[in-house]
Amino acid sequence: MTTEGTAVDTRPTKIMYVAEATAHGGRDGYVTSQDGRLELKVAMPPALGGDGNGTNPEQLFAAGYSSCFHNALILVGNREGYDLSGSTVAAKVGIGPNKHRGYGLAVALSVSLPVLDADLAEKLVDAAHDVCPYSNATRGNIDVTILLG
């Protein structure tokens, strides 16, 4: 995101919380969180040649991004005096090879704001995209498409 050609610094000025997780065995192993609340088997999805008998990093990213973006949306809605009960955010995270012999991600967020008109919904979604830490972390790094429906 730029403002009149100047990059906007979205780094935190103060760390308020740190999450810790450890991977054991890469994409065919398991992940745990330091506090023990998360312990999941991970596996390559069938589309990438795996057996699919576990979750995968793209699903975890989709869950994190959708919940974070939805929270940002609720926050900006509340600031503007709107109750966003019944709203949802779904994320699709795609993975594929990039031009540099590595892999890249692409995200599509589907936002449902059934009680708001389209113009107001778009305004709140744009504001949420500016607030959301996942949006700020991915901006300029991966393609993020936001669909209102």
Side-chain angles (χ1 to χ4, degrees):
M1 182 170 144
T2 60
T3 304
E4 296 180 17
T6 307
V8 174
D9 186 354
T10 59
R11 295 176 294 177
T13 57
K14 176 182 175 186
I15 301 297
M16 299 170 60
Y17 169 73
V18 174
E20 288 185 52
T22 303
H24 310 264
R27 285 180 171 265
D28 286 311
Y30 64 100
V31 293
T32 59
S33 62
Q34 182 200 23
D35 63 6
R37 294 190 178 271
L38 179 71
E39 187 171 331
L40 297 171
K41 178 178 174 22
V42 290
M44 291 283 272
L48 298 178
D51 62 16
N53 288 327
T55 192
N56 60 67
E58 293 72 37
Q59 289 172 322
L60 296 171
F61 191 80
Y65 201 163
S66 63
S67 63
C68 188
F69 193 91
H70 196 212
N71 195 71
L73 186 60
I74 291 167
L75 175 74
V76 299
N78 287 340
R79 285 180 181 167
E80 297 289 324
Y82 298 102
D83 177 6
L84 300 186
S85 297
S87 63
T88 60
V89 176
K92 292 182 180 180
V93 174
I95 185 172
N98 63 25
K99 296 177 184 177
H100 305 285
R101 298 181 53 152
Y103 291 85
L105 299 175
V107 174
L109 298 175
S110 296
V111 179
S112 174
L113 291 164
V115 297
L116 301 178
D117 68 57
D119 290 339
L120 178 57
E122 186 174 342
K123 176 185 166 193
L124 294 178
V125 165
D126 288 346
H129 197 42
D130 287 339
V131 169
C132 177
Y134 275 70
S135 292
N136 287 327
T138 59
R139 189 172 287 110
N141 299 312
I142 66 174
D143 290 333
V144 177
T145 303
I146 301 176
L147 309 165
L148 276 169

